[in-house]
mmCIF file of all heavy atoms in Angstrom:
data_model
loop_
_atom_site.group_PDB
_atom_site.id
_atom_site.type_symbol
_atom_site.label_atom_id
_atom_site.label_comp_id
_atom_site.label_asym_id
_atom_site.label_seq_id
_atom_site.Cartn_x
_atom_site.Cartn_y
_atom_site.Cartn_z
ATOM 1 N N ASP A 1474 13.200 -18.114 9.644
ATOM 2 C CA ASP A 1474 14.330 -17.939 10.636
ATOM 3 C C ASP A 1474 14.106 -16.781 11.524
ATOM 4 O O ASP A 1474 14.574 -16.934 12.759
ATOM 5 C CB ASP A 1474 15.645 -17.734 9.748
ATOM 6 C CG ASP A 1474 16.186 -19.065 9.121
ATOM 7 O OD1 ASP A 1474 15.602 -20.051 9.472
ATOM 8 O OD2 ASP A 1474 17.212 -18.851 8.405
ATOM 9 N N TYR A 1475 13.425 -15.766 11.026
ATOM 10 C CA TYR A 1475 13.325 -14.528 11.833
ATOM 11 C C TYR A 1475 11.803 -14.318 12.281
ATOM 12 O O TYR A 1475 11.538 -13.292 12.900
ATOM 13 C CB TYR A 1475 13.728 -13.305 11.032
ATOM 14 C CG TYR A 1475 15.265 -13.288 10.716
ATOM 15 C CD1 TYR A 1475 15.786 -13.940 9.623
ATOM 16 C CD2 TYR A 1475 16.100 -12.722 11.756
ATOM 17 C CE1 TYR A 1475 17.217 -14.017 9.573
ATOM 18 C CE2 TYR A 1475 17.425 -12.722 11.563
ATOM 19 C CZ TYR A 1475 17.996 -13.434 10.447
ATOM 20 O OH TYR A 1475 19.359 -13.476 10.392
ATOM 21 N N GLY A 1476 11.065 -15.309 12.127
ATOM 22 C CA GLY A 1476 9.707 -15.403 12.749
ATOM 23 C C GLY A 1476 8.756 -14.189 12.244
ATOM 24 O O GLY A 1476 8.055 -13.650 12.953
ATOM 25 N N VAL A 1477 8.836 -14.040 10.914
ATOM 26 C CA VAL A 1477 7.915 -13.012 10.339
ATOM 27 C C VAL A 1477 6.407 -13.525 10.563
ATOM 28 O O VAL A 1477 6.120 -14.776 10.390
ATOM 29 C CB VAL A 1477 8.132 -12.915 8.787
ATOM 30 C CG1 VAL A 1477 7.142 -12.194 8.059
ATOM 31 C CG2 VAL A 1477 9.455 -12.217 8.536
ATOM 32 N N ASP A 1478 5.605 -12.744 10.909
ATOM 33 C CA ASP A 1478 4.188 -13.062 11.276
ATOM 34 C C ASP A 1478 3.386 -13.431 10.114
ATOM 35 O O ASP A 1478 2.556 -14.364 10.197
ATOM 36 C CB ASP A 1478 3.548 -11.913 12.114
ATOM 37 C CG ASP A 1478 4.099 -11.873 13.435
ATOM 38 O OD1 ASP A 1478 3.899 -12.697 14.255
ATOM 39 O OD2 ASP A 1478 4.967 -10.847 13.677
ATOM 40 N N ALA A 1479 3.485 -12.653 9.092
ATOM 41 C CA ALA A 1479 2.616 -12.923 7.828
ATOM 42 C C ALA A 1479 3.280 -12.221 6.672
ATOM 43 O O ALA A 1479 3.899 -11.266 6.744
ATOM 44 C CB ALA A 1479 1.215 -12.291 7.995
ATOM 45 N N VAL A 1480 3.109 -12.833 5.493
ATOM 46 C CA VAL A 1480 3.514 -12.324 4.251
ATOM 47 C C VAL A 1480 2.425 -12.042 3.429
ATOM 48 O O VAL A 1480 1.492 -12.950 3.160
ATOM 49 C CB VAL A 1480 4.544 -13.317 3.594
ATOM 50 C CG1 VAL A 1480 5.115 -12.652 2.281
ATOM 51 C CG2 VAL A 1480 5.551 -13.825 4.488
ATOM 52 N N PHE A 1481 2.109 -10.771 2.889
ATOM 53 C CA PHE A 1481 1.087 -10.506 2.022
ATOM 54 C C PHE A 1481 1.561 -10.414 0.616
ATOM 55 O O PHE A 1481 2.513 -9.853 0.277
ATOM 56 C CB PHE A 1481 0.550 -9.103 2.429
ATOM 57 C CG PHE A 1481 0.001 -8.970 3.773
ATOM 58 C CD1 PHE A 1481 0.748 -8.546 4.963
ATOM 59 C CD2 PHE A 1481 -1.392 -9.349 4.011
ATOM 60 C CE1 PHE A 1481 0.203 -8.436 6.138
ATOM 61 C CE2 PHE A 1481 -1.879 -9.193 5.287
ATOM 62 C CZ PHE A 1481 -1.207 -8.839 6.394
ATOM 63 N N GLU A 1482 0.674 -11.053 -0.188
ATOM 64 C CA GLU A 1482 1.072 -11.293 -1.599
ATOM 65 C C GLU A 1482 0.003 -10.972 -2.623
ATOM 66 O O GLU A 1482 -1.181 -10.724 -2.136
ATOM 67 C CB GLU A 1482 1.615 -12.731 -1.803
ATOM 68 C CG GLU A 1482 2.850 -13.070 -0.974
ATOM 69 C CD GLU A 1482 2.862 -14.424 -0.458
ATOM 70 O OE1 GLU A 1482 1.832 -15.079 -0.450
ATOM 71 O OE2 GLU A 1482 3.969 -14.839 -0.040
ATOM 72 N N GLY A 1483 0.272 -10.980 -3.908
ATOM 73 C CA GLY A 1483 -0.841 -10.818 -4.901
ATOM 74 C C GLY A 1483 -0.698 -11.701 -5.981
ATOM 75 O O GLY A 1483 -0.451 -12.947 -5.746
ATOM 76 N N HIS A 1484 -0.784 -11.278 -7.210
ATOM 77 C CA HIS A 1484 -0.444 -11.962 -8.454
ATOM 78 C C HIS A 1484 -1.594 -13.003 -8.806
ATOM 79 O O HIS A 1484 -1.981 -13.038 -9.946
ATOM 80 C CB HIS A 1484 0.909 -12.940 -8.303
ATOM 81 C CG HIS A 1484 1.439 -13.355 -9.541
ATOM 82 N ND1 HIS A 1484 1.616 -12.533 -10.670
ATOM 83 C CD2 HIS A 1484 1.926 -14.616 -9.941
ATOM 84 C CE1 HIS A 1484 2.122 -13.268 -11.660
ATOM 85 N NE2 HIS A 1484 2.356 -14.477 -11.395
ATOM 86 N N ASP A 1485 -2.141 -13.586 -7.875
ATOM 87 C CA ASP A 1485 -3.370 -14.487 -8.043
ATOM 88 C C ASP A 1485 -4.560 -13.679 -7.702
ATOM 89 O O ASP A 1485 -4.640 -13.129 -6.614
ATOM 90 C CB ASP A 1485 -3.271 -15.784 -7.242
ATOM 91 C CG ASP A 1485 -2.324 -16.717 -7.686
ATOM 92 O OD1 ASP A 1485 -1.887 -16.711 -8.879
ATOM 93 O OD2 ASP A 1485 -1.925 -17.583 -6.990
ATOM 94 N N HIS A 1486 -5.485 -13.533 -8.632
ATOM 95 C CA HIS A 1486 -6.649 -12.561 -8.560
ATOM 96 C C HIS A 1486 -7.744 -13.209 -7.732
ATOM 97 O O HIS A 1486 -8.736 -13.493 -8.264
ATOM 98 C CB HIS A 1486 -7.045 -12.129 -9.885
ATOM 99 C CG HIS A 1486 -5.947 -11.472 -10.701
ATOM 100 N ND1 HIS A 1486 -6.075 -11.304 -12.063
ATOM 101 C CD2 HIS A 1486 -4.757 -11.031 -10.285
ATOM 102 C CE1 HIS A 1486 -4.929 -10.762 -12.424
ATOM 103 N NE2 HIS A 1486 -4.113 -10.647 -11.364
ATOM 104 N N PHE A 1487 -7.464 -13.530 -6.524
ATOM 105 C CA PHE A 1487 -8.519 -13.990 -5.511
ATOM 106 C C PHE A 1487 -7.884 -13.823 -4.247
ATOM 107 O O PHE A 1487 -6.823 -13.282 -4.005
ATOM 108 C CB PHE A 1487 -8.872 -15.474 -5.874
ATOM 109 C CG PHE A 1487 -7.782 -16.425 -6.196
ATOM 110 C CD1 PHE A 1487 -6.794 -16.590 -5.228
ATOM 111 C CD2 PHE A 1487 -7.717 -17.055 -7.399
ATOM 112 C CE1 PHE A 1487 -5.769 -17.506 -5.589
ATOM 113 C CE2 PHE A 1487 -6.714 -18.028 -7.678
ATOM 114 C CZ PHE A 1487 -5.710 -18.222 -6.729
ATOM 115 N N TYR A 1488 -8.639 -14.324 -3.170
ATOM 116 C CA TYR A 1488 -8.160 -14.341 -1.817
ATOM 117 C C TYR A 1488 -7.644 -15.897 -1.489
ATOM 118 O O TYR A 1488 -8.352 -16.731 -1.756
ATOM 119 C CB TYR A 1488 -9.177 -13.926 -0.725
ATOM 120 C CG TYR A 1488 -8.680 -14.050 0.618
ATOM 121 C CD1 TYR A 1488 -7.773 -13.064 1.181
ATOM 122 C CD2 TYR A 1488 -8.942 -15.134 1.455
ATOM 123 C CE1 TYR A 1488 -7.371 -13.062 2.510
ATOM 124 C CE2 TYR A 1488 -8.481 -15.136 2.695
ATOM 125 C CZ TYR A 1488 -7.647 -14.262 3.255
ATOM 126 O OH TYR A 1488 -7.229 -14.300 4.537
ATOM 127 N N ALA A 1489 -6.609 -15.995 -0.856
ATOM 128 C CA ALA A 1489 -6.122 -17.376 -0.333
ATOM 129 C C ALA A 1489 -5.231 -17.143 0.797
ATOM 130 O O ALA A 1489 -4.427 -16.174 0.969
ATOM 131 C CB ALA A 1489 -5.386 -18.045 -1.536
ATOM 132 N N ARG A 1490 -5.402 -18.048 1.755
ATOM 133 C CA ARG A 1490 -4.436 -18.060 2.929
ATOM 134 C C ARG A 1490 -3.974 -19.433 3.113
ATOM 135 O O ARG A 1490 -4.704 -20.413 3.113
ATOM 136 C CB ARG A 1490 -5.128 -17.550 4.241
ATOM 137 C CG ARG A 1490 -4.319 -17.681 5.368
ATOM 138 C CD ARG A 1490 -4.785 -16.738 6.534
ATOM 139 N NE ARG A 1490 -6.083 -17.147 7.113
ATOM 140 C CZ ARG A 1490 -6.177 -17.852 8.257
ATOM 141 N NH1 ARG A 1490 -5.110 -18.389 8.832
ATOM 142 N NH2 ARG A 1490 -7.407 -18.180 8.569
ATOM 143 N N HIS A 1491 -2.588 -19.423 3.263
ATOM 144 C CA HIS A 1491 -1.957 -20.782 3.279
ATOM 145 C C HIS A 1491 -0.764 -20.702 4.194
ATOM 146 O O HIS A 1491 -0.062 -19.665 4.225
ATOM 147 C CB HIS A 1491 -1.490 -21.028 1.800
ATOM 148 C CG HIS A 1491 -0.869 -22.372 1.704
ATOM 149 N ND1 HIS A 1491 -1.478 -23.452 1.018
ATOM 150 C CD2 HIS A 1491 0.509 -22.845 1.886
ATOM 151 C CE1 HIS A 1491 -0.575 -24.501 0.943
ATOM 152 N NE2 HIS A 1491 0.531 -24.067 1.456
ATOM 153 N N GLU A 1492 -0.461 -21.739 5.033
ATOM 154 C CA GLU A 1492 0.722 -21.710 5.921
ATOM 155 C C GLU A 1492 1.778 -22.599 5.248
ATOM 156 O O GLU A 1492 1.521 -23.747 4.853
ATOM 157 C CB GLU A 1492 0.305 -22.289 7.221
ATOM 158 C CG GLU A 1492 1.184 -21.788 8.397
ATOM 159 C CD GLU A 1492 0.527 -22.163 9.752
ATOM 160 O OE1 GLU A 1492 -0.714 -21.816 9.927
ATOM 161 O OE2 GLU A 1492 1.202 -22.755 10.582
ATOM 162 N N MET A 1493 3.017 -22.016 5.217
ATOM 163 C CA MET A 1493 4.099 -22.773 4.559
ATOM 164 C C MET A 1493 5.288 -22.600 5.392
ATOM 165 O O MET A 1493 5.808 -21.436 5.672
ATOM 166 C CB MET A 1493 4.317 -22.199 3.140
ATOM 167 C CG MET A 1493 5.443 -22.849 2.428
ATOM 168 S SD MET A 1493 5.479 -22.274 0.755
ATOM 169 C CE MET A 1493 4.179 -23.280 -0.022
ATOM 170 N N GLY A 1494 5.823 -23.685 6.045
ATOM 171 C CA GLY A 1494 6.995 -23.642 6.883
ATOM 172 C C GLY A 1494 6.718 -22.726 8.101
ATOM 173 O O GLY A 1494 7.614 -22.134 8.584
ATOM 174 N N GLY A 1495 5.496 -22.761 8.605
ATOM 175 C CA GLY A 1495 5.107 -22.038 9.721
ATOM 176 C C GLY A 1495 4.858 -20.549 9.530
ATOM 177 O O GLY A 1495 4.640 -19.775 10.402
ATOM 178 N N ILE A 1496 4.983 -20.116 8.205
ATOM 179 C CA ILE A 1496 4.724 -18.747 7.878
ATOM 180 C C ILE A 1496 3.427 -18.622 7.102
ATOM 181 O O ILE A 1496 3.014 -19.315 6.248
ATOM 182 C CB ILE A 1496 5.877 -18.228 6.852
ATOM 183 C CG1 ILE A 1496 7.232 -18.381 7.496
ATOM 184 C CG2 ILE A 1496 5.512 -16.906 6.410
ATOM 185 C CD1 ILE A 1496 7.397 -17.590 8.710
ATOM 186 N N ASN A 1497 2.596 -17.588 7.631
ATOM 187 C CA ASN A 1497 1.287 -17.278 7.001
ATOM 188 C C ASN A 1497 1.486 -16.550 5.719
ATOM 189 O O ASN A 1497 2.092 -15.458 5.732
ATOM 190 C CB ASN A 1497 0.476 -16.436 8.054
ATOM 191 C CG ASN A 1497 0.139 -17.171 9.279
ATOM 192 O OD1 ASN A 1497 -0.590 -18.124 9.189
ATOM 193 N ND2 ASN A 1497 0.678 -16.705 10.428
ATOM 194 N N HIS A 1498 1.027 -17.134 4.651
ATOM 195 C CA HIS A 1498 1.096 -16.440 3.325
ATOM 196 C C HIS A 1498 -0.345 -16.100 2.996
ATOM 197 O O HIS A 1498 -1.181 -16.932 2.874
ATOM 198 C CB HIS A 1498 1.698 -17.331 2.265
ATOM 199 C CG HIS A 1498 3.233 -17.448 2.423
ATOM 200 N ND1 HIS A 1498 4.105 -16.611 1.823
ATOM 201 C CD2 HIS A 1498 3.911 -18.422 3.153
ATOM 202 C CE1 HIS A 1498 5.409 -17.045 2.149
ATOM 203 N NE2 HIS A 1498 5.233 -18.112 2.998
ATOM 204 N N ILE A 1499 -0.606 -14.802 2.750
ATOM 205 C CA ILE A 1499 -1.888 -14.344 2.457
ATOM 206 C C ILE A 1499 -1.894 -13.742 1.011
ATOM 207 O O ILE A 1499 -1.159 -12.721 0.877
ATOM 208 C CB ILE A 1499 -2.417 -13.255 3.448
ATOM 209 C CG1 ILE A 1499 -2.368 -13.835 4.896
ATOM 210 C CG2 ILE A 1499 -3.757 -12.752 3.089
ATOM 211 C CD1 ILE A 1499 -2.209 -12.908 5.916
ATOM 212 N N VAL A 1500 -2.566 -14.305 0.048
ATOM 213 C CA VAL A 1500 -2.784 -13.781 -1.230
ATOM 214 C C VAL A 1500 -4.025 -12.860 -1.347
ATOM 215 O O VAL A 1500 -5.028 -13.317 -1.117
ATOM 216 C CB VAL A 1500 -2.896 -14.890 -2.230
ATOM 217 C CG1 VAL A 1500 -3.092 -14.303 -3.632
ATOM 218 C CG2 VAL A 1500 -1.654 -15.755 -2.228
ATOM 219 N N THR A 1501 -3.696 -11.641 -1.553
ATOM 220 C CA THR A 1501 -4.795 -10.667 -1.618
ATOM 221 C C THR A 1501 -4.722 -9.878 -2.881
ATOM 222 O O THR A 1501 -4.095 -8.876 -3.013
ATOM 223 C CB THR A 1501 -4.871 -9.760 -0.424
ATOM 224 O OG1 THR A 1501 -5.964 -8.704 -0.634
ATOM 225 C CG2 THR A 1501 -3.575 -9.196 -0.020
#
Side-chain angles (χ1 to χ4, degrees):
D1474 287 350
Y1475 291 88
V1477 169
D1478 289 288
V1480 186
F1481 295 95
E1482 295 142 347
H1484 197 49
D1485 288 339
H1486 305 164
F1487 44 60
Y1488 177 79
R1490 178 159 65 94
H1491 183 103
E1492 203 169 311
M1493 180 173 281
I1496 301 298
N1497 295 295
H1498 288 270
I1499 303 157
V1500 176
T1501 174

